[in-house]
Each structure stands twice: as structure tokens, then as C-alpha cells.
Amino acid sequence: MDIAESLERVRERVAHAAAKSGRSVDDIELVAITKTHPADKVREAIEAGQTLFGESRVQEARAKIPELPSNLRWHFVGHLQKNKIRHALPLFEMIHSVDSLGLAQEVNRIAEEEGMHPRILLEVNVAGEGSKFGFASDKLREQMEEVLALPRLSILGLMTIPPLAEEVKVLRKYFVQLRELRDRLQTEFRVDLAHLSMGMTQDYPIAVEEGATLVRVGTAIFGERTRPKHE
């Protein structure tokens, strides 16, 4: 699989979806997800002009990021365990997946100890799936004041991972729900939540049409994930 060609194809689809919905492509950033892919593959993407990457496991990121150029930008997109916060904060310029008030409070506490001001997104479980992390939409509204009161956190927007679905209209519904929730929160709490992190390999053009500012694409760029071998 030619990573440069794959990247170009993804960028073209992002640009097409942006144009279709009357948006500027400059308002959308592609986060190339490198989970399970080795540093060599990341270097191929760098040669093709990609500088923003995403990881979903702190341990893997701690091993991989030091192998790569220091001018790259890294976002954390996976479930953040509380015992990994201290390791994650110095590695990532943004955390997409703060999924509960308790996690937000813990990130804030550790950021204060470390003298940091993390940029975060709040993860919303728009479909209410029991197997997924994230705030329920109504719960986020209830707890928004408490989240906004955490002084160390810069809350820049919302993120979601919708259920797997084949039908475009089903997927679109979840992206619309996240955008509308963001709009309501902005109005009610007078806060700027500019970013919507939504859309992955199977659905990122639809997410762009519905307002995504960050799309998280891995498989369409790097190919299928390499599964770790079991002993």
C-alpha cells in the first residue's frame, strides 16, 4: 500500500466533502492515526507532507514518538486511563477523549502539579451505547459548569465515535446530534467549542459535511492494523 497515494486520496475526499457542504477545506484537519503502525510507516506519511498524527495508547506513543522528528504534532484519541495521564500530558498537544467529569478533574489536578494547561475535547457517547466511553448528552449539559470551572483545562470542543453503521443517513444522524449539542452548549454556557472531532476511515466524508474540524483516519492511510502477536 502506497501511503503517499492513500494520503492524497483521503485529502481529496476531505476537500470534496468540504466543497459539497460549502465549507473551506482549511477549517478541517486530518489526524493520521498511527495506532499499531511502526515509525517507518509514519515517516512515509511525513514525506508526503503529513505533520499531525494521533495515537490511542499511551504506552505505544511513549515508545514511538521519540523515534520520530520533534516538530510533529500529536493528538491522543483513545480512552485515557487515569494512571496514564501524567505520561500523556507532555506527549500530546490535544486530548480528544476526556469522557467523564472524574477524568476531567484528574487531568486538571495533574496538570496543576505539572504546571501545564492541556487542550482537550469532551467525548460524547451520542448513541448511548453501553460498550462506549463518553458523556451522555444530557449528563454533559448537567455537568458542563463543573467541567468549565476546572482552571487548568482549555476545552476546545467535542468528540464522538458513532456506532458502526452501513447506512449514510444513520451515520449522519449521529454527527448532526454532536454538532447540535455543541451549538446548544455554546449558547447556554457562552463558551467557544470550535472543534468537532468526528469521522474515521469508514465515514469521514459524511462527518466533514456535517461540520467536523478534525477527522481521525488510520486504515485508509496506513492499511489494516498490525495485530500484536500473542505468545
Side-chain angles (χ1 to χ4, degrees), residues 169-201:
K169 67 181 182 182
V170 173
L171 284 165
R172 192 180 300 278
K173 172 182 77 170
Y174 294 119
F175 298 140
V176 169
Q177 283 175 3
L178 191 74
R179 188 188 69 233
E180 290 177 346
L181 174 64
R182 186 274 306 273
D183 294 347
R184 289 196 302 275
L185 293 173
Q186 285 192 141
T187 302
E188 184 172 351
F189 295 96
R190 296 179 182 174
V191 62
D192 183 13
L193 301 170
H195 282 296
L196 291 175
S197 170
M198 56 189 197
M200 303 194 300
T201 285

Side-chain angles (χ1 to χ4, degrees), residues 24-173:
S24 167
V25 72
D26 296 336
D27 294 336
I28 301 134
E29 283 200 283
L30 171 61
V31 187
I33 305 300
T34 57
K35 175 182 177 180
T36 78
H37 296 295
D40 286 348
K41 279 193 172 185
V42 182
R43 288 190 191 95
E44 287 184 55
I46 296 166
E47 285 171 20
Q50 184 68 20
T51 57
L52 175 57
F53 296 92
E55 277 286 337
S56 59
R57 292 197 180 110
V58 175
Q59 290 294 92
E60 186 177 344
R62 289 181 77 196
K64 193 181 301 177
I65 290 174
E67 290 184 50
L68 293 159
S70 60
N71 63 336
L72 301 180
R73 298 162 56 211
W74 291 91
H75 288 191
F76 186 76
V77 301
H79 174 58
L80 182 59
Q81 296 169 297
K82 289 181 180 177
N83 64 353
K84 299 289 197 303
I85 294 170
R86 206 175 297 273
H87 295 308
L89 291 184
L91 293 174
F92 299 101
E93 69 166 35
M94 188 186 287
I95 294 171
H96 288 221
S97 48
V98 174
D99 56 22
S100 68
L101 176 59
L103 181 59
Q105 290 168 332
E106 195 66 4
V107 172
N108 182 75
R109 181 184 71 77
I110 290 170
E112 193 164 7
E113 289 177 6
E114 300 289 339
M116 303 179 83
H117 291 86
R119 301 163 76 238
I120 71 160
L121 306 178
L122 301 173
E123 181 174 354
V124 183
N125 185 348
V126 284
E129 289 180 282
S131 59
K132 291 242 176 84
F133 295 102
F135 288 89
S137 299
D138 54 351
K139 194 75 172 172
L140 178 57
R141 189 175 162 275
E142 282 173 28
Q143 297 181 330
M144 195 68 185
E145 275 189 30
E146 286 178 88
V147 175
L148 291 171
L150 296 169
R152 285 278 165 174
L153 305 187
S154 295
I155 298 157
L156 304 180
L158 305 181
M159 178 267 232
T160 198
I161 303 170
L164 286 171
E166 297 295 323
E167 290 184 56
V168 168
K169 67 181 182 182
V170 173
L171 284 165
R172 192 180 300 278
K173 172 182 77 170

